[in-house]
Amino acid sequence: MTMRIPSGGRVNRGKTINFTFDGRALQGVEGDTLASALLANGVHLVGRSFKYHRPRGFLAAGSEEPNALVDIDRGKGRSAPNLRATQVELYEGLVARSQNHWPSLGFDLLEVNDLAPAGLLGAGFYYKTFMWPFTLWHKLYEPAIRRTAGLGKAPKVADPDHYAQQYAHCDVLVVGAGAAGLAAALAAAETGASVMLADEQAELGGGLLDERHALIDGVPAADWLAMTLARLASMANVTLLPRTQAFGYYAQNLLGLAERLTDHLAAPSAGQPRERLWKVRAKQVVLATGAIERPLVFPDNDRPGIMLASAARTYTNRYGVLPGNRAVVFTADDTGYAAALDLHQAGVAIAMIADLRPKAEGPGYAAAKAAGLPMANSLAINAVSGRQRVTGVQLGTLDANSVLTNLHQADCDLVLMAGGWTPAVHLFSQSRGKLTYDAARQIYLPGISAQAARSAGACNGTFDLTAALNEGADGTRQYHATSAIAPSGGFHGAVPTTQDLSKIKAFVDFQNDVTAKDIKLAVREGMHSIEHIKRYTTTGMATDQGKTSNMNGLAIASAELDKPIPDIGLTTFRPPFTPVTFGTLAGHARGQLLDPVRQTPIHPWAAANGAVFEDVGQWKRAWYFPKDGEDMHAAVNRECRAARTSAGLFDATTLGKIEVVGPDAATFMERLYTNPWQKLGIGRCRYGLMLNEAGFVMDDGVIGRLAADRFHVTTTTGGAPRVLAHMEDYLQTEFPELKVWLTSTTEQWAVIAIQGPKAREILAPLVEGVDMSNEALPHMSLREGTILGVPIRLFRVSFTGELGFEVNVPADYGRAVWEAIHAAGAPHGLTPYGTETMHVLRAEKGYIIIGQETDGTVTPSDLALDWAIGKTKADFVGKRSLRRSDLLKPDRKHLVGLLTADPKIVLEEGAQITLEASPKTGTPALGHVTSSYWSETLGRSIAMALVASGKERLGTTLHVPMPQGGIAVTVTEPIFFDKEGGRINA
């Protein structure tokens, strides 16, 4: 049986397209969606509901569709679940499957849920039924629910497609290509502004695509649409983006757009992206997102064959498909008459136009009456017959007391609902704009904008076509448009019925199976805020984000609470507006690109020379350099001996590097770091300590002053992005008056550290333009010069306690300079060493590592770094918090050293520290071991730890409980080697 109209619509009847649905071979035509093609084949049952597994058909024709979710076979075992059939474009060979049923769509055994006793699966049933006893939840309830719940099934095969991402800037971004959006885009483009126009549909035009009678400037709307699109397409300053959903509105006029590129193609070109994520920053945003028609809430309003009146107009006028043969139009809005007229003219018998309102007037009513269509006011649907397809409705007349009388049957296979219109204010709300409530029309409207945005057309409550066009053009163009119907705000809420409300199901949220009685029950059980009602009932929490349910849910709760709708709140509109594939959000960040492996310029040399690597953040760092079958311990011991007796060579490129530049650079540094910086001399360095607002140590590093207005800041390897973001945050939000620029230079400089007594002897012959004597280049200073003709920033710093230099050269020269230094140092015993040796050497000197000696709750005083706090500084980030009483308690954990009674025992890092060797169960630990190593230099083990009241425990004996027995340790200062620091100043 075909329901295709012989002519009309915007489809190409000359091109037949073959597809299958649940294994059944069917045909559509070019321009169809899967939904329109199924309706053309007389298919109305397309899915089962989430909780009750009730038969479901098409409710809508666009992205607001909650029922018709399908799984599309993408070949080679791949699938795309939960796609809206109303947005899936038909292509040759399309394979679609219905979801959420077993064993079949027509015979679903889980439909037994619909026969459950009243209230068993109602609002909050999870909380009341399955959460106790706790053991049964995990063993019985949760596995059973996971097997039966859900809609589509996640694909098990990896997605081989790739996804593109693109940044764009424009003067004006228009979201929505209906009448108002097109007018806005054209008006802006004609001023010379760069314009982007995005619309979620495959064809631009919005509601104009459904119009058969509207006139604009005296010509049919379809002709005006064609001329306007042709004009926009011809303009070089306009970018048209069909199939592009604006899913999120973020700060500073940044919008996320998801463009579907190839899902509508049977055979995409090799390498062509499936989707593209646009990140658009616009000077001005025009929201012309239209409005969503509201369903009416009456018993069994979810049966296949019951749909929105606007959807029926779309299928009839745009796709040339009759959604039924005999229709009852149930309306509380003038647009119900427009749908009745269009379907009547297309050949659908109109059994009745049942208007819920006591009186109807306007052009739609007059036109329907002139056409002789049967109609009546104060008429409501009391009951629905049919299960897998509606076969009729029982109508009743509302008397003066809102009681249904004069019940009578009307046979039909199609019921259209027209409950008014809800402006699509989702994106406006996401932009942090304030909504206002129009009580007369019972709609929320855009109020005060928080960003450079304005709303136009139906999303702004302007439903008249002429007014919408002028509003979209912002008054710069004058259009003269006529349309058959001007929709109103309409009615929403539950329709009166003679049925027992405790037994019937009148649906508010179709996707999550939330009924009117669920919302009433939630109110009775104490949920008085709409946010609480939402979570208790799950209304508005499905993938459709409550597009067709929110306002009806608000109205029912409002009536039950006897409060105005604004008094019970409004749910939050969160992005995405419609579901976005993970692939689109990830873009190229997949596989190895998900967490990129970062390698220093010296990495290939290290690999060629046998280095064993470890992961530090995203970096590959040389861990140690074994020789002649050495294990790690032997290699590290050898490397430590070399660094202490001759010299060691270390790749420190991974350290974060940030250039802080500007006339207020020193002031900025004063505020971000605990140390003073104004008086630091040019060419001098200082250890910098950074705190967060809570006063806890966040990062550290050596900072050099290159000029009065320029600092070279180093950070920890893992902390580089965090520190830069921290700096940017304060610069933009707290200190915007400062003239400072921040630039990450981590990958610009390769850093080669030469540490050891012979470091100067090895390096000096290679460096030009820098006096490297102890007097000219003392510890904690820097100079600029050249090394082998390559520009150099030479730092006299040490993380080992030995005479040390850090050679910073442009990254492209990193390996060449490393090899030259290595060759020059070979006669002196220069030895490359890795991160494990670096850890041992720094621990011998008591130097901390952020994230190892700190855990996010450690203060400078805990680490004995009070000397790094500028005593005369007026303020810095975290200073106020350092005065909190809990940060001044004497029993806080302090950094100390630990020496085991048996010097050969190396403690385990992370091991707990207690007062007794065998503490009783429940005895709290005093602290934990933060670092622990074998020190080849000292010929024994050493450790660092955070211990409660550690400063007062120096010289005492504590214990580290282990499975084999407690290990006695002596608490010491956390400096084990060269406490006087003479070696570093050699």
Side-chain angles (χ1 to χ4, degrees):
M1 177 184 68
T2 180
M3 300 296 290
R4 183 79 65 184
I5 303 171
S7 61
R10 304 179 69 88
V11 294
N12 178 14
R13 288 173 171 76
K15 186 173 181 179
T16 300
I17 295 178
N18 299 288
F19 71 101
T20 64
F21 179 69
D22 282 349
R24 178 184 171 190
L26 301 169
Q27 287 187 333
V29 297
E30 187 179 49
D32 264 331
T33 63
L34 176 60
S36 66
L38 288 172
L39 286 172
N41 285 276
V43 177
H44 285 260
L45 175 62
V46 292
R48 291 283 177 162
S49 72
F50 172 71
K51 184 164 61 176
Y52 298 117
H53 285 255
R54 289 166 65 96
R56 287 285 168 82
F58 302 102
L59 177 74
S63 63
E64 71 272 27
E65 172 59 45
N67 294 334
L69 303 182
V70 296
D71 183 285
I72 301 299
D73 190 328
R74 302 185 60 219
K76 299 180 180 179
R78 296 179 296 144
S79 64
N82 294 331
L83 298 183
R84 291 162 172 77
T86 52
Q87 290 188 301
V88 174
E89 297 177 57
L90 209 63
Y91 58 81
E92 183 66 30
L94 173 70
V95 177
R97 294 180 290 263
S98 57
Q99 303 181 155
N100 201 42
H101 53 71
W102 185 82
S104 68
L105 177 61
F107 179 68
D108 184 5
L109 287 175
L110 292 176
E111 194 175 357
V112 69
N113 290 354
D114 197 33
L115 304 176
L120 180 61
L121 298 179
F125 81 97
Y126 286 106
Y127 310 109
K128 301 170 187 174
T129 309
F130 298 130
M131 303 307 289
W132 182 90
F134 185 74
T135 53
L136 282 184
W137 167 254
H138 285 291
K139 292 181 179 180
L140 177 63
Y141 302 141
E142 185 179 25
I145 290 172
R146 288 189 179 278
R147 283 194 297 269
T148 60
L151 295 169
K153 295 182 179 179
K156 297 181 180 180
V157 178
D159 184 358
D161 294 330
H162 76 273
Y163 300 79
Q165 294 189 349
Q166 183 166 339
Y167 285 92
H169 294 79
C170 63
D171 295 320
V172 180
L173 171 63
V174 181
V175 181
L182 290 169
L186 187 58
E190 288 179 338
T191 68
S194 59
V195 177
M196 296 183 72
L197 175 62
D199 191 277
E200 66 182 0
Q201 299 189 85
E203 188 177 4
L204 302 179
L208 294 178
L209 300 173
D210 304 333
E211 288 292 342
R212 296 176 61 184
H213 308 290
L215 298 175
I216 301 175
D217 285 341
V219 300
D223 294 339
W224 179 89
L225 173 60
M227 291 186 292
T228 303
L229 290 175
R231 172 70 177 136
L232 288 169
S234 69
M235 303 175 79
N237 56 327
V238 175
T239 301
L240 300 179
L241 294 173
R243 298 187 180 91
T244 304
Q245 174 68 65
F247 63 82
Y249 198 141
Y250 307 94
Q252 287 84 47
N253 265 20
L254 175 68
L255 280 86
L257 314 179
E259 181 183 12
R260 306 184 303 277
L261 296 173
T262 60
D263 273 2
H264 61 291
L265 303 177
S269 301
Q272 192 173 1
R274 180 186 175 196
E275 296 182 355
R276 177 186 289 120
L277 173 65
W278 291 82
K279 301 176 185 179
V280 180
R281 187 86 66 180
K283 292 181 180 178
Q284 177 78 26
V285 175
V286 178
L287 298 175
T289 49
I292 298 169
E293 191 166 30
R294 298 177 199 158
L296 291 165
V297 184
F298 55 88
D300 296 323
N301 60 334
D302 66 326
R303 295 300 187 206
I306 301 177
M307 67 175 59
L308 297 173
S310 58
R313 290 190 73 207
T314 297
Y315 291 123
T316 302
N317 295 341
R318 189 186 310 181
Y319 298 108
V321 173
L322 297 181
N325 293 299
R326 183 176 176 83
V328 168
V329 181
F330 188 19
T331 184
D333 181 72
D334 293 344
T335 51
Y337 294 96
L341 280 166
D342 283 354
L343 267 66
H344 167 69
Q345 293 172 3
V348 177
I350 304 300
M352 176 61 69
I353 302 176
D355 197 325
L356 190 60
R357 300 170 296 180
K359 183 180 179 181
E361 57 186 8
Y365 169 80
K369 187 174 183 180
L373 301 183
M375 61 184 70
N377 293 102
S378 298
L379 201 61
I381 293 179
N382 183 61
V384 173
S385 57
R387 188 157 187 86
Q388 293 193 357
R389 173 78 183 276
V390 61
T391 59
V393 296
Q394 186 183 64
L395 298 170
T397 303
L398 282 169
D399 64 15
N401 298 315
S402 296
V403 175
L404 283 178
T405 62
N406 188 29
L407 300 178
H408 59 282
Q409 186 73 15
D411 294 334
C412 61
D413 61 0
L414 178 65
V415 176
L416 307 185
M417 300 179 288
W421 295 81
T422 300
V425 295
H426 301 67
L427 290 177
F428 179 84
S429 182
Q430 290 175 19
S431 76
R432 295 178 291 109
K434 300 299 182 183
L435 298 176
T436 60
Y437 185 67
D438 185 334
R441 295 193 290 172
Q442 303 179 72
I443 56 177
Y444 275 99
L445 295 171
I448 301 173
S449 296
Q451 302 193 48
R454 63 185 182 88
S455 300
C459 72
N460 200 36
T462 305
F463 298 124
D464 177 73
L465 181 55
T466 298
L469 285 164
N470 289 330
E471 187 177 55
D474 202 22
T476 59
R477 292 171 60 92
Q478 296 298 315
Y479 293 93
H480 302 282
T482 61
S483 57
I485 303 298
S488 65
F491 169 89
H492 55 76
V495 174
T497 179
T498 63
Q499 306 294 304
D500 183 351
L501 290 175
S502 66
K503 296 181 180 180
I504 65 167
K505 293 183 174 72
F507 287 90
V508 176
D509 187 309
F510 291 86
Q511 193 170 118
N512 268 359
D513 272 352
V514 180
T515 64
K517 68 179 179 183
D518 289 330
I519 295 175
K520 293 173 183 283
L521 177 63
V523 171
R524 292 198 303 273
E525 295 190 350
M527 311 297 160
H528 294 172
S529 163
I530 194 60
E531 290 287 3
H532 294 156
I533 294 170
K534 172 181 177 179
R535 283 154 181 79
Y536 196 65
T537 65
T538 72
T539 186
M541 293 177 65
T543 62
D544 65 342
Q545 289 277 294
K547 292 179 177 62
T548 57
S549 63
N550 277 346
M551 289 307 296
N552 282 337
L554 280 169
I556 295 169
S558 170
E560 193 72 10
L561 289 165
D562 195 24
K563 289 182 178 181
I565 284 179
D567 288 358
I568 61 173
L570 182 65
T571 57
T572 303
F573 297 105
R574 295 183 177 88
F577 177 78
T578 56
V580 179
T581 63
F582 288 121
T584 300
L585 298 177
H588 295 295
R590 301 170 61 187
Q592 290 187 345
L593 296 180
L594 172 63
D595 193 19
V597 175
R598 303 175 75 180
Q599 299 177 353
T600 74
I602 300 158
H603 180 95
W605 184 93
N609 283 270
V612 176
F613 293 91
E614 67 169 338
D615 295 326
V616 181
Q618 293 179 327
W619 291 96
K620 290 288 185 183
R621 300 195 71 176
W623 192 10
Y624 59 95
F625 290 82
K627 286 188 175 182
D628 303 324
E630 291 176 325
D631 62 11
M632 184 182 76
H633 300 293
V636 170
N637 290 341
R638 174 179 51 78
E639 292 170 7
C640 287
R641 287 195 300 270
R644 292 288 185 213
T645 59
S646 56
L649 193 62
F650 179 68
D651 182 2
T653 303
T654 63
L655 290 175
K657 293 171 280 290
I658 302 170
E659 203 97 340
V660 179
V661 182
D664 296 321
T667 300
F668 178 74
M669 294 294 293
E670 289 274 344
R671 297 180 184 181
L672 266 292
Y673 284 85
T674 64
N675 323 63
W677 300 97
Q678 291 284 6
K679 295 182 180 180
L680 181 67
I682 297 171
R684 297 295 296 177
C685 302
R686 180 166 289 162
Y687 172 78
L689 191 63
M690 175 179 283
L691 309 183
N692 60 22
E693 289 182 347
F696 299 132
V697 174
M698 177 179 171
D699 202 82
D700 70 348
V702 174
I703 298 167
R705 192 167 195 172
L706 296 166
D709 62 348
R710 184 181 297 267
F711 290 85
H712 178 113
V713 177
T714 63
T715 74
T716 57
T717 294
R722 181 176 64 250
V723 171
L724 181 60
H726 181 73
M727 287 180 166
E728 286 284 9
D729 183 22
Y730 274 88
L731 183 59
Q732 294 181 30
T733 62
E734 303 298 326
F735 315 134
E737 76 282 1
L738 298 183
K739 296 180 179 179
V740 176
W741 293 267
L742 307 173
T743 305
S744 173
T745 58
T746 297
E747 294 179 336
Q748 178 179 339
W749 298 99
V751 182
I752 305 165
I754 307 103
Q755 307 281 307
K758 296 184 179 180
R760 183 185 291 113
E761 184 179 352
I762 294 169
L763 189 61
L766 306 177
V767 176
E768 302 169 347
V770 177
D771 183 350
M772 293 181 59
S773 66
N774 194 43
E775 295 74 23
L777 187 66
H779 179 58
M780 296 300 280
S781 59
L782 71 94
R783 299 291 185 269
E784 293 185 279
T786 61
I787 182 169
L788 304 171
V790 176
I792 182 179
R793 286 182 180 175
L794 181 62
F795 288 74
R796 168 90 185 269
V797 295
S798 174
F799 198 47
T800 63
E802 300 292 336
L803 169 66
F805 301 89
E806 288 186 1
V807 177
N808 288 248
V809 295
D812 288 347
Y813 299 96
R815 179 172 180 176
V817 172
W818 170 281
E819 291 178 343
I821 295 173
H822 182 261
H828 302 275
L830 179 65
T831 300
Y833 66 91
T835 55
E836 187 67 17
T837 295
M838 176 268 291
H839 278 279
V840 175
L841 297 174
R842 65 90 193 172
E844 290 174 346
K845 286 293 296 179
Y847 297 154
I848 68 167
I849 288 184
I850 301 298
Q852 190 154 334
E853 273 65 55
T854 66
D855 61 0
T857 65
V858 174
T859 70
S861 181
D862 299 336
L863 300 172
L865 293 177
D866 306 77
W867 58 266
I869 299 176
K871 302 300 186 293
T872 61
K873 291 183 64 172
D875 198 11
F876 55 81
V877 175
K879 180 176 182 179
R880 180 181 61 181
S881 297
L882 293 179
R883 296 195 292 267
R884 287 167 31 200
S885 59
D886 60 312
L887 299 190
L888 299 174
K889 291 180 178 180
D891 61 349
R892 285 187 59 81
K893 293 179 180 179
H894 303 145
L895 183 67
V896 297
L898 299 178
L899 293 176
T900 56
D902 182 349
K904 294 183 179 180
I905 296 177
V906 179
L907 299 174
E908 292 188 14
E909 292 183 349
Q912 300 298 294
I913 302 168
T914 59
L915 196 59
E916 300 175 348
S918 300
K920 295 180 180 179
T921 302
T923 302
L926 297 175
H928 70 280
V929 178
T930 61
S931 296
S932 180
Y933 308 98
W934 171 262
S935 169
E936 181 70 4
T937 303
L938 301 174
R940 62 157 300 124
S941 67
I942 59 172
M944 301 166 74
L946 286 171
V947 175
S949 302
K951 296 175 182 177
E952 285 73 45
R953 297 182 188 273
L954 296 179
T956 64
T957 299
L958 299 177
H959 297 86
V960 177
M962 297 299 291
Q964 65 273 23
I967 301 173
V969 296
T970 301
V971 181
T972 70
E973 293 282 356
I975 304 175
F976 305 97
F977 176 72
D978 188 28
K979 294 184 179 181
E980 296 75 21
R983 299 173 69 92
I984 206 169
N985 292 304

